[in-house]
Amino acid sequence: MQHSMPIVSTIVLGLVLAFALGVLVHRFKLPPLVGYLLAGIAIGPFTPGFVADQNIANQLAEIGVILLMFGVGLHFSLADLLSVRAIAISGALAQLLVALPLGMAIGWSLGWPLGAGIIFGISLSVASTVVTLRLLQERRLVETERGHIAVGWLIVQDIVMVFILVMLPSLAGLFSAEATYDPEALMRAFAITVGKIGVFIAFMLLVGTKIVPAILHYVAHTGSRELFRLAVLSIALGMAFASAELFGVSIALGAFFAGMILSESRLSQQAATESLPFRDAFAVLFFVSVGMLFNPEIVVEAPAALAATVLVIMVAKSIAAFGVLRLFRHGLTPSLTITALLAQIGEFSFILAGRGVDLDILPPEGRDLILAGAIISILLNPLLFAGVEYLIQRHERTTRGEAEAAVEEEEPTREPIRPTTLTGHVVLVGHGRVGSFISDALSGGKVPLFVIEDDDDAVAELKAQGIEALSGNAADPEIIPAANLGAARCLLVAIPNAFEGGQVVQQGRAINPSLPIIARAHSEAEIEHLKRLGATTVVMGEHEIAKAMMGDIREPAASPAPASRKPRAPVPEPTTIG
């Protein structure tokens, strides 16, 4: 099969193994990313059994890079960055200045050239956006000051890495082992790269900001979700490809700007929603392809270098981050929490290491050390958080009762959820197209509203409107109690996913057996599933459309039926729910 259908076998086995191992590691409270990397190792050339096609995997990985960068651009907010710019820039720079010389020292001890040490050190300095954001969401810290600082820190690192990736091909000759130092060549390469980036940015800002949103708005007005989804993917992939072909810059930068341009459009949230499944799928294949490159023998062949790499990632970088946070007069708890959040490396490190090997700057051993260090740091990150929680609890015990403890910002590592004090209120789960229509209809009335939504931007907008809202997944047993369902008027489950909706319904029914629960479904099977779990009413869109259309039917004036036909029996009214 691997010879006749290499593309199919690589995609299928990569996704299936990634799914299986992702579920397995998730049971151990580890990020699924670890399972994706292990799946790549399993089908890679360094382990027995099936070996996937490396060239195909690398091409699929390029699509993953494009969509990952497109996603970063979609969530890029200049206002958020500026609000924490001082500490974010200082912290990212401090971690780079610490990791760079230490990485160069490791490279020097292994006999690598200067360029390899530089690439190695830079790769160890940048945290994983995917892992960090997931940790923030799990601990409900996105909306806190710590969350803003961590996200701003990531944005600065991402932007620096984008420019490094763009400039790397031009600097490859200077970093290669055979090259000699040439200041003129360095300045020439820098000037050419900056010039290309400048022309590209000018084109994107002057032309792209007008053309791209116009195309998206035109497609949105066609009413075709399929065309809208295709337009989003075409913009992301097309602009990334064009940036490389026409301007000679990285596809990563092209994808980043495509996302950033779309982020200014009112359709950006819908674009992010439509591209999410593709982005997730190809991101998984990206991590699988990275795992295929990992040689497990590095653990045996260079244990000292691997240990030093992990220490740089988890200890040296953490000391630098903690020092910067304390210099900016942040309390012990936020400083420790942000430090723990950033004590790993991820996707940009993989990308830079891969580019370094492709350009003959970094030896394959360096890439193996980076991959092994990433996997180990992600594995150890939960243990680091446990240690942070212990230190915070110990600190709070020793400082409890002191006057300064009352004024110092000492938030718990996991943000506590305080139940709402609303009574007789409507609890709305989901604030998408259906949920937003409901909240608009209720906003001017006297019925209080409490919204649970997993999109932080939507929650912030609701709070700005004076509506009480909570960011999180209502299927989480720790989230739904905050809605005070015991005193609620009713529960409206407006999320389109019947599986998650069923979990919300089941928990809501357990909390308040007499609570009216209205849920949303897309099929007869989903109606049966939700009613079985305790929904009082289940609304299916197709049924409601049919009822509305039939309600407009006016009986014609009485007249005899045509002789050639029997009178038609009345059409029964569709039954939607119990």
Side-chain angles (χ1 to χ4, degrees), residues 489-577:
R489 174 181 300 223
C490 67
L491 169 62
L492 306 180
V493 184
I495 54 178
N497 188 316
F499 177 75
E500 289 187 4
Q503 293 178 299
V504 177
V505 168
Q506 188 176 32
Q507 294 180 60
R509 180 57 66 216
I511 294 172
N512 188 345
S514 62
L515 179 70
I517 301 177
I518 304 174
R520 172 186 176 189
H522 293 287
S523 68
E524 300 290 348
E526 291 183 0
I527 291 176
E528 183 179 340
H529 170 71
L530 291 167
K531 288 180 71 66
R532 186 171 61 250
L533 292 176
T536 311
T537 302
V538 181
V539 180
M540 180 173 167
E542 289 80 356
H543 287 182
E544 297 306 306
I545 292 171
K547 290 173 65 176
M549 295 174 74
M550 291 182 62
D552 289 338
I553 295 176
R554 299 292 181 264
E555 289 294 336
S559 59
S564 59
R565 299 183 184 177
K566 295 182 180 180
R568 294 183 63 184
V571 180
E573 181 176 341
T575 301
T576 310
I577 31 207

Coordinates of all heavy atoms in Angstrom, one line a residue, residues 489-577:
R489 N -34.3 30.4 35.5 CA -35.6 30.3 34.9 C -35.6 29.1 33.9 O -36.5 28.3 33.8 CB -36.0 31.6 34.2 CG -37.3 31.5 33.4 CD -37.5 32.8 32.7 NE -37.7 33.9 33.7 CZ -38.6 34.8 33.6 NH1 -39.5 34.8 32.6 NH2 -38.7 35.8 34.5
C490 N -34.5 29.0 33.1 CA -34.4 27.9 32.1 C -33.0 27.9 31.6 O -32.2 28.8 31.8 CB -35.4 28.1 30.9 SG -35.0 29.6 29.9
L491 N -32.6 26.8 30.9 CA -31.3 26.6 30.3 C -31.5 26.4 28.8 O -32.2 25.5 28.4 CB -30.6 25.3 30.9 CG -29.4 24.8 30.3 CD1 -28.3 25.9 30.3 CD2 -28.9 23.5 30.9
L492 N -30.8 27.3 28.1 CA -30.8 27.2 26.6 C -29.5 26.7 26.1 O -28.5 27.4 26.3 CB -31.2 28.6 26.0 CG -32.4 29.3 26.5 CD1 -32.6 30.6 25.8 CD2 -33.6 28.4 26.3
V493 N -29.4 25.6 25.5 CA -28.2 25.0 25.0 C -28.2 25.3 23.5 O -28.8 24.5 22.7 CB -28.1 23.5 25.3 CG1 -26.7 23.0 24.8 CG2 -28.3 23.2 26.8
A494 N -27.4 26.3 23.1 CA -27.4 26.8 21.7 C -26.2 26.3 20.9 O -26.0 26.8 19.8 CB -27.6 28.3 21.6
I495 N -25.3 25.5 21.5 CA -24.2 25.1 20.8 C -24.6 24.0 19.7 O -25.5 23.2 20.0 CB -23.1 24.5 21.7 CG1 -23.7 23.4 22.6 CG2 -22.5 25.6 22.6 CD1 -22.7 22.8 23.6
P496 N -23.9 24.0 18.6 CA -24.3 23.1 17.5 C -23.8 21.6 17.7 O -24.4 20.7 17.1 CB -23.6 23.7 16.3 CG -22.5 24.4 16.8 CD -22.9 24.9 18.1
N497 N -22.9 21.4 18.6 CA -22.3 20.1 18.8 C -23.2 19.3 19.8 O -23.3 19.6 21.0 CB -20.9 20.2 19.4 CG -20.2 18.8 19.5 OD1 -20.8 17.8 19.9 ND2 -19.0 18.8 19.0
A498 N -23.9 18.3 19.3 CA -24.9 17.6 20.1 C -24.2 16.7 21.2 O -24.8 16.5 22.3 CB -25.8 16.7 19.3
F499 N -23.0 16.3 21.0 CA -22.2 15.6 22.0 C -22.0 16.4 23.2 O -22.3 16.1 24.3 CB -20.9 15.0 21.4 CG -20.1 14.2 22.4 CD1 -20.5 13.0 22.8 CD2 -19.0 14.8 22.9 CE1 -19.7 12.3 23.7 CE2 -18.2 14.1 23.8 CZ -18.6 12.8 24.2
E500 N -21.4 17.6 23.0 CA -21.1 18.5 24.1 C -22.4 19.0 24.7 O -22.6 19.2 25.9 CB -20.2 19.7 23.6 CG -18.8 19.3 23.4 CD -17.9 20.5 23.1 OE1 -18.4 21.6 23.2 OE2 -16.7 20.3 22.8
G501 N -23.4 19.3 23.8 CA -24.7 19.8 24.3 C -25.3 18.7 25.2 O -26.0 19.1 26.2
G502 N -25.2 17.4 24.8 CA -25.7 16.4 25.7 C -25.1 16.4 27.1 O -25.8 16.1 28.1
Q503 N -23.8 16.6 27.1 CA -23.1 16.7 28.4 C -23.7 17.8 29.3 O -23.9 17.7 30.5 CB -21.6 16.8 28.2 CG -21.0 15.6 27.6 CD -19.5 15.8 27.4 OE1 -19.1 16.7 26.7 NE2 -18.7 15.0 28.0
V504 N -23.9 19.0 28.6 CA -24.5 20.1 29.4 C -25.9 19.8 29.9 O -26.2 20.1 31.0 CB -24.5 21.4 28.4 CG1 -25.1 22.6 29.2 CG2 -23.1 21.7 28.0
V505 N -26.7 19.2 29.0 CA -28.1 18.9 29.4 C -28.1 17.9 30.5 O -28.8 18.1 31.5 CB -28.8 18.3 28.2 CG1 -30.1 17.6 28.6 CG2 -29.0 19.3 27.1
Q506 N -27.2 16.9 30.5 CA -27.2 15.9 31.5 C -26.8 16.5 32.9 O -27.4 16.2 33.9 CB -26.2 14.8 31.1 CG -26.2 13.6 32.0 CD -25.3 12.5 31.5 OE1 -24.2 12.8 30.9 NE2 -25.6 11.2 31.8
Q507 N -25.8 17.4 32.9 CA -25.3 18.0 34.1 C -26.4 19.0 34.6 O -26.6 19.1 35.8 CB -24.0 18.7 33.9 CG -22.8 17.8 33.6 CD -21.6 18.6 33.3 OE1 -21.1 19.3 34.2 NE2 -21.0 18.4 32.2
G508 N -27.0 19.7 33.7 CA -28.1 20.7 34.1 C -29.2 19.9 34.7 O -29.8 20.4 35.7
R509 N -29.6 18.8 34.2 CA -30.7 18.0 34.7 C -30.4 17.5 36.1 O -31.2 17.4 37.0 CB -31.1 16.9 33.8 CG -32.3 16.0 34.2 CD -33.5 16.8 34.4 NE -34.0 17.4 33.2 CZ -34.6 18.6 33.2 NH1 -34.7 19.4 34.3 NH2 -35.1 19.1 32.0
A510 N -29.1 17.1 36.3 CA -28.7 16.6 37.6 C -28.7 17.7 38.6 O -29.1 17.4 39.8 CB -27.3 16.0 37.5
I511 N -28.4 18.9 38.3 CA -28.4 20.0 39.2 C -29.8 20.4 39.6 O -30.1 20.7 40.8 CB -27.6 21.2 38.7 CG1 -26.1 20.8 38.5 CG2 -27.7 22.4 39.5 CD1 -25.3 21.8 37.8
N512 N -30.7 20.5 38.6 CA -32.1 21.0 38.8 C -33.0 20.1 38.1 O -33.3 20.3 36.9 CB -32.2 22.4 38.4 CG -33.5 23.0 38.8 OD1 -34.5 22.3 39.1 ND2 -33.6 24.4 38.7
P513 N -33.6 19.1 38.7 CA -34.5 18.1 38.0 C -35.7 18.8 37.4 O -36.3 18.2 36.5 CB -34.9 17.2 39.1 CG -33.8 17.3 40.1 CD -33.4 18.7 40.1
S514 N -36.2 20.0 37.9 CA -37.4 20.6 37.4 C -37.1 21.7 36.4 O -38.0 22.4 36.0 CB -38.2 21.1 38.5 OG -37.5 22.1 39.3
L515 N -35.8 21.9 36.0 CA -35.4 23.1 35.2 C -35.9 22.8 33.7 O -35.5 21.8 33.2 CB -33.9 23.3 35.3 CG -33.3 24.4 34.4 CD1 -33.8 25.7 34.9 CD2 -31.8 24.3 34.3
P516 N -36.6 23.8 33.1 CA -36.8 23.6 31.7 C -35.5 23.8 30.9 O -34.8 24.8 31.0 CB -37.8 24.8 31.4 CG -38.3 25.2 32.7 CD -37.3 24.9 33.7
I517 N -35.2 22.8 30.1 CA -34.0 22.8 29.3 C -34.3 22.7 27.8 O -35.0 21.7 27.4 CB -33.0 21.6 29.7 CG1 -32.7 21.7 31.2 CG2 -31.8 21.6 28.8 CD1 -31.8 20.5 31.6
I518 N -33.9 23.7 27.0 CA -34.2 23.7 25.6 C -32.8 23.6 24.9 O -31.9 24.4 25.1 CB -34.9 25.0 25.2 CG1 -36.2 25.2 26.0 CG2 -35.2 25.0 23.7 CD1 -36.8 26.5 25.8
A519 N -32.7 22.6 24.0 CA -31.5 22.3 23.3 C -31.7 22.4 21.8 O -32.8 22.5 21.3 CB -30.9 20.9 23.7
R520 N -30.6 22.3 21.1 CA -30.5 22.5 19.6 C -30.0 21.2 19.0 O -29.1 20.6 19.5 CB -29.6 23.6 19.3 CG -29.3 23.8 17.8 CD -28.3 25.0 17.7 NE -27.9 25.2 16.3 CZ -26.9 26.0 15.9 NH1 -26.2 26.6 16.9 NH2 -26.6 26.1 14.7
A521 N -30.6 20.8 17.9 CA -30.2 19.5 17.2 C -30.2 19.7 15.7 O -30.8 20.7 15.2 CB -31.1 18.4 17.6
H522 N -29.6 18.8 15.0 CA -29.5 18.8 13.6 C -30.1 17.6 12.9 O -30.1 17.5 11.7 CB -28.1 19.1 13.1 CG -27.5 20.4 13.5 ND1 -27.8 21.5 12.8 CD2 -26.6 20.8 14.4 CE1 -27.2 22.6 13.4 NE2 -26.4 22.1 14.4
S523 N -30.5 16.6 13.7 CA -31.0 15.4 13.1 C -32.0 14.7 14.1 O -32.0 15.1 15.3 CB -29.9 14.4 12.8 OG -29.2 14.0 14.0
E524 N -32.7 13.8 13.6 CA -33.7 13.1 14.5 C -32.9 12.3 15.6 O -33.3 12.2 16.7 CB -34.5 12.1 13.7 CG -35.4 12.8 12.6 CD -36.5 13.6 13.2 OE1 -36.8 13.4 14.4 OE2 -37.1 14.3 12.4
A525 N -31.7 11.7 15.2 CA -30.9 11.0 16.2 C -30.5 11.9 17.3 O -30.4 11.5 18.5 CB -29.8 10.3 15.5
E526 N -30.1 13.1 17.0 CA -29.6 14.1 18.0 C -30.8 14.5 18.9 O -30.6 14.7 20.1 CB -29.0 15.3 17.3 CG -27.7 15.0 16.7 CD -27.0 16.3 16.1 OE1 -27.6 17.4 16.2 OE2 -25.9 16.2 15.5
I527 N -32.0 14.6 18.3 CA -33.2 14.9 19.1 C -33.4 13.8 20.2 O -33.6 14.1 21.4 CB -34.4 15.1 18.2 CG1 -34.3 16.3 17.4 CG2 -35.7 15.1 19.1 CD1 -35.5 16.5 16.4
E528 N -33.4 12.6 19.7 CA -33.5 11.5 20.6 C -32.5 11.4 21.7 O -32.7 11.2 22.9 CB -33.6 10.2 19.8 CG -33.8 8.9 20.6 CD -33.9 7.7 19.8 OE1 -34.1 7.8 18.5 OE2 -33.7 6.6 20.3
H529 N -31.2 11.7 21.3 CA -30.1 11.7 22.2 C -30.2 12.7 23.3 O -30.1 12.4 24.5 CB -28.8 11.9 21.4 CG -27.6 12.1 22.3 ND1 -27.0 11.1 23.0 CD2 -26.8 13.3 22.5 CE1 -25.9 11.6 23.7 NE2 -25.8 12.9 23.4
L530 N -30.6 13.9 22.9 CA -30.7 15.0 23.9 C -31.9 14.9 24.8 O -31.8 15.1 26.0 CB -30.8 16.4 23.1 CG -29.5 16.8 22.4 CD1 -29.8 17.9 21.4 CD2 -28.4 17.2 23.4
K531 N -33.0 14.4 24.3 CA -34.2 14.1 25.1 C -33.9 13.0 26.1 O -34.4 13.0 27.2 CB -35.4 13.8 24.2 CG -36.0 15.0 23.5 CD -37.1 14.6 22.7 CE -38.4 14.3 23.5 NZ -38.8 15.5 24.2
R532 N -33.2 12.0 25.7 CA -32.8 10.9 26.6 C -32.0 11.4 27.7 O -32.1 10.8 28.8 CB -32.1 9.8 25.8 CG -31.8 8.5 26.6 CD -31.3 7.4 25.7 NE -30.1 7.7 25.1 CZ -29.9 7.9 23.8 NH1 -31.0 7.8 23.0 NH2 -28.8 8.2 23.3
L533 N -31.2 12.4 27.5 CA -30.3 12.9 28.6 C -31.0 13.9 29.5 O -30.4 14.4 30.4 CB -29.0 13.5 27.9 CG -28.1 12.6 27.3 CD1 -26.9 13.3 26.6 CD2 -27.5 11.5 28.3
G534 N -32.2 14.3 29.1 CA -33.0 15.2 30.0 C -33.5 16.5 29.4 O -34.0 17.3 30.2
A535 N -33.3 16.7 28.1 CA -33.8 18.0 27.6 C -35.3 18.0 27.6 O -36.0 17.0 27.2 CB -33.3 18.1 26.1
T536 N -35.9 19.1 28.0 CA -37.4 19.3 28.0 C -37.8 19.5 26.5 O -38.9 18.9 26.1 CB -37.8 20.5 28.8 OG1 -37.1 20.4 30.1 CG2 -39.3 20.5 29.0
T537 N -37.1 20.3 25.8 CA -37.5 20.6 24.4 C -36.2 20.6 23.6 O -35.2 21.1 24.0 CB -38.1 22.0 24.4 OG1 -39.3 22.1 25.2 CG2 -38.5 22.4 22.9
V538 N -36.3 20.0 22.4 CA -35.2 20.0 21.4 C -35.7 20.6 20.1 O -36.7 20.2 19.6 CB -34.7 18.6 21.2 CG1 -33.5 18.6 20.2 CG2 -34.3 17.9 22.5
V539 N -35.0 21.7 19.7 CA -35.4 22.4 18.5 C -34.5 22.0 17.3 O -33.3 22.0 17.5 CB -35.3 23.9 18.7 CG1 -35.7 24.7 17.5 CG2 -36.1 24.4 19.9
M540 N -35.1 21.6 16.2 CA -34.4 21.2 15.0 C -34.7 22.2 13.9 O -35.9 22.5 13.6 CB -34.8 19.8 14.6 CG -34.0 19.3 13.3 SD -34.4 17.6 13.0 CE -33.8 17.4 11.3
G541 N -33.7 22.8 13.4 CA -34.0 23.9 12.4 C -34.9 23.6 11.3 O -35.8 24.4 10.9
E542 N -34.7 22.4 10.7 CA -35.5 22.0 9.5 C -37.0 21.9 9.9 O -37.8 22.3 9.1 CB -35.0 20.7 9.0 CG -33.6 20.8 8.3 CD -32.5 20.8 9.2 OE1 -32.7 20.8 10.4 OE2 -31.3 20.8 8.7
H543 N -37.3 21.4 11.1 CA -38.7 21.3 11.5 C -39.3 22.7 11.7 O -40.4 22.9 11.3 CB -38.7 20.5 12.8 CG -38.5 19.1 12.7 ND1 -38.5 18.2 13.8 CD2 -38.1 18.3 11.6 CE1 -38.2 17.0 13.3 NE2 -38.0 17.0 12.1
E544 N -38.5 23.6 12.3 CA -39.1 24.9 12.5 C -39.3 25.7 11.2 O -40.2 26.5 11.1 CB -38.1 25.7 13.5 CG -38.0 25.1 14.9 CD -39.3 24.9 15.5 OE1 -40.1 25.9 15.6 OE2 -39.6 23.8 15.9
I545 N -38.4 25.5 10.3 CA -38.6 26.1 8.9 C -39.9 25.6 8.3 O -40.7 26.3 7.7 CB -37.4 25.8 8.0 CG1 -36.1 26.6 8.6 CG2 -37.6 26.3 6.6 CD1 -34.8 26.2 7.9
A546 N -40.1 24.3 8.4 CA -41.3 23.7 7.8 C -42.5 24.2 8.4 O -43.5 24.5 7.8 CB -41.2 22.1 7.9
K547 N -42.5 24.3 9.8 CA -43.7 24.9 10.5 C -43.9 26.3 10.1 O -45.1 26.7 9.9 CB -43.4 24.7 12.0 CG -43.5 23.3 12.5 CD -43.1 23.3 14.0 CE -44.0 24.0 14.9 NZ -43.7 23.8 16.3
A548 N -42.9 27.1 9.9 CA -43.1 28.5 9.6 C -43.6 28.6 8.2 O -44.5 29.5 7.9 CB -41.7 29.3 9.7
M549 N -43.1 27.8 7.3 CA -43.6 27.8 5.9 C -45.1 27.4 5.8 O -45.9 28.0 5.1 CB -42.7 27.0 5.0 CG -41.3 27.5 4.9 SD -40.2 26.3 4.0 CE -40.8 26.6 2.3
M550 N -45.4 26.4 6.5 CA -46.8 25.9 6.5 C -47.8 26.9 7.2 O -48.9 27.0 6.9 CB -46.9 24.5 7.2 CG -46.2 23.4 6.4 SD -46.4 21.8 7.2 CE -48.2 21.7 7.2
G551 N -47.2 27.6 8.2 CA -48.1 28.6 8.8 C -48.5 29.7 7.9 O -49.5 30.4 8.2
D552 N -47.8 29.9 6.8 CA -48.1 31.0 5.9 C -49.0 30.5 4.8 O -49.4 31.3 3.9 CB -46.8 31.6 5.2 CG -46.0 32.4 6.2 OD1 -46.6 32.8 7.2 OD2 -44.8 32.5 6.0
I553 N -49.3 29.2 4.8 CA -50.2 28.7 3.7 C -51.7 29.2 4.0 O -52.2 29.1 5.1 CB -50.2 27.2 3.7 CG1 -48.8 26.7 3.3 CG2 -51.2 26.6 2.7 CD1 -48.6 25.2 3.3
R554 N -52.3 29.7 3.0 CA -53.7 30.2 3.1 C -54.6 29.2 2.3 O -54.3 28.9 1.2 CB -53.9 31.6 2.6 CG -53.0 32.6 3.4 CD -53.6 32.7 4.8 NE -52.9 33.7 5.6 CZ -51.9 33.4 6.4 NH1 -51.5 32.2 6.5 NH2 -51.2 34.4 7.1
E555 N -55.6 28.7 3.0 CA -56.5 27.8 2.3 C -57.2 28.6 1.1 O -57.8 29.6 1.4 CB -57.6 27.2 3.2 CG -57.0 26.3 4.2 CD -56.6 25.0 3.6 OE1 -57.0 24.7 2.5 OE2 -55.7 24.3 4.2
P556 N -57.2 28.1 -0.1 CA -57.9 28.7 -1.2 C -59.4 28.7 -1.0 O -59.9 27.9 -0.2 CB -57.4 27.9 -2.4 CG -57.1 26.6 -1.9 CD -56.5 26.8 -0.5
A557 N -60.1 29.5 -1.7 CA -61.5 29.5 -1.7 C -62.1 28.2 -2.0 O -61.5 27.4 -2.8 CB -62.1 30.6 -2.6
A558 N -63.2 27.8 -1.3 CA -63.7 26.5 -1.5 C -64.1 26.2 -3.0 O -64.8 27.0 -3.6 CB -65.0 26.3 -0.6
S559 N -63.6 25.2 -3.5 CA -63.9 24.8 -4.9 C -63.8 23.3 -5.1 O -63.0 22.7 -4.4 CB -63.0 25.5 -5.9 OG -61.6 25.1 -5.6
P560 N -64.6 22.7 -6.0 CA -64.6 21.3 -6.1 C -63.2 20.8 -6.6 O -62.6 21.5 -7.4 CB -65.7 21.0 -7.1 CG -65.8 22.3 -7.9 CD -65.6 23.4 -6.9
A561 N -62.8 19.7 -6.1 CA -61.5 19.2 -6.5 C -61.6 18.7 -7.9 O -62.7 18.3 -8.4 CB -61.1 18.0 -5.6
P562 N -60.5 18.8 -8.7 CA -60.6 18.3 -10.1 C -61.1 16.8 -10.2 O -60.7 16.0 -9.3 CB -59.1 18.4 -10.6 CG -58.5 19.4 -9.7 CD -59.2 19.3 -8.4
A563 N -61.9 16.6 -11.1 CA -62.5 15.3 -11.2 C -61.5 14.2 -11.4 O -61.7 13.0 -11.1 CB -63.5 15.2 -12.4
S564 N -60.4 14.5 -12.1 CA -59.4 13.5 -12.4 C -58.5 13.2 -11.2 O -57.7 12.3 -11.3 CB -58.5 14.0 -13.5 OG -57.8 15.2 -13.2
R565 N -58.6 13.9 -10.1 CA -57.8 13.7 -8.9 C -58.6 13.5 -7.7 O -59.7 14.1 -7.6 CB -56.8 14.8 -8.7 CG -55.9 15.1 -9.9 CD -54.9 16.2 -9.5 NE -54.1 16.6 -10.6 CZ -53.2 17.6 -10.5 NH1 -53.1 18.3 -9.4 NH2 -52.4 17.9 -11.6
K566 N -58.1 12.7 -6.8 CA -58.7 12.6 -5.5 C -58.2 13.8 -4.6 O -57.1 14.2 -4.8 CB -58.4 11.3 -4.8 CG -58.9 10.1 -5.6 CD -58.6 8.8 -4.8 CE -59.1 7.6 -5.5 NZ -58.8 6.4 -4.8
P567 N -59.1 14.3 -3.7 CA -58.6 15.3 -2.8 C -57.4 14.9 -2.0 O -57.4 13.7 -1.6 CB -59.8 15.6 -1.9 CG -61.0 15.1 -2.7 CD -60.5 13.9 -3.5
R568 N -56.4 15.7 -1.9 CA -55.2 15.4 -1.1 C -55.5 15.5 0.3 O -56.1 16.3 0.8 CB -54.0 16.4 -1.5 CG -53.5 16.2 -2.9 CD -52.4 17.1 -3.1 NE -51.2 16.7 -2.3 CZ -50.1 17.4 -2.3 NH1 -50.0 18.5 -3.0 NH2 -49.1 17.0 -1.5
A569 N -54.9 14.5 1.0 CA -55.1 14.5 2.5 C -54.3 15.6 3.1 O -53.2 16.0 2.6 CB -54.6 13.2 3.1
P570 N -54.8 16.2 4.2 CA -54.0 17.3 4.8 C -52.6 16.9 5.2 O -52.4 15.8 5.6 CB -54.8 17.7 6.0 CG -56.1 16.9 5.9 CD -55.9 15.8 4.9
V571 N -51.7 17.8 5.0 CA -50.3 17.5 5.4 C -50.1 17.6 6.9 O -50.5 18.6 7.5 CB -49.3 18.5 4.7 CG1 -47.9 18.2 5.1 CG2 -49.5 18.5 3.2
P572 N -49.7 16.5 7.5 CA -49.6 16.6 9.0 C -48.5 17.6 9.4 O -47.5 17.7 8.7 CB -49.2 15.2 9.4 CG -48.5 14.6 8.1 CD -49.2 15.3 7.0
E573 N -48.7 18.3 10.5 CA -47.8 19.3 11.0 C -46.6 18.5 11.6 O -46.8 17.6 12.4 CB -48.4 20.2 12.1 CG -47.4 21.2 12.6 CD -48.1 22.1 13.6 OE1 -49.4 22.1 13.6 OE2 -47.4 22.7 14.4
P574 N -45.4 18.9 11.2 CA -44.2 18.1 11.8 C -44.1 18.4 13.3 O -44.3 19.5 13.7 CB -43.0 18.8 11.0 CG -43.5 20.1 10.6 CD -45.0 20.0 10.3
T575 N -43.7 17.3 13.9 CA -43.5 17.4 15.4 C -42.0 17.5 15.6 O -41.3 16.6 15.3 CB -44.1 16.1 16.1 OG1 -45.5 16.1 15.8 CG2 -43.9 16.2 17.6
T576 N -41.6 18.5 16.3 CA -40.2 18.8 16.6 C -39.8 18.1 17.9 O -38.7 17.5 17.9 CB -39.9 20.3 16.6 OG1 -40.5 20.8 15.5 CG2 -38.5 20.5 16.7
I577 N -40.6 18.4 18.9 CA -40.1 18.0 20.2 C -41.2 17.6 21.1 O -42.4 17.8 20.8 CB -39.5 19.2 20.9 CG1 -40.2 20.4 20.3 CG2 -38.0 19.3 20.9 CD1 -39.5 21.6 20.3

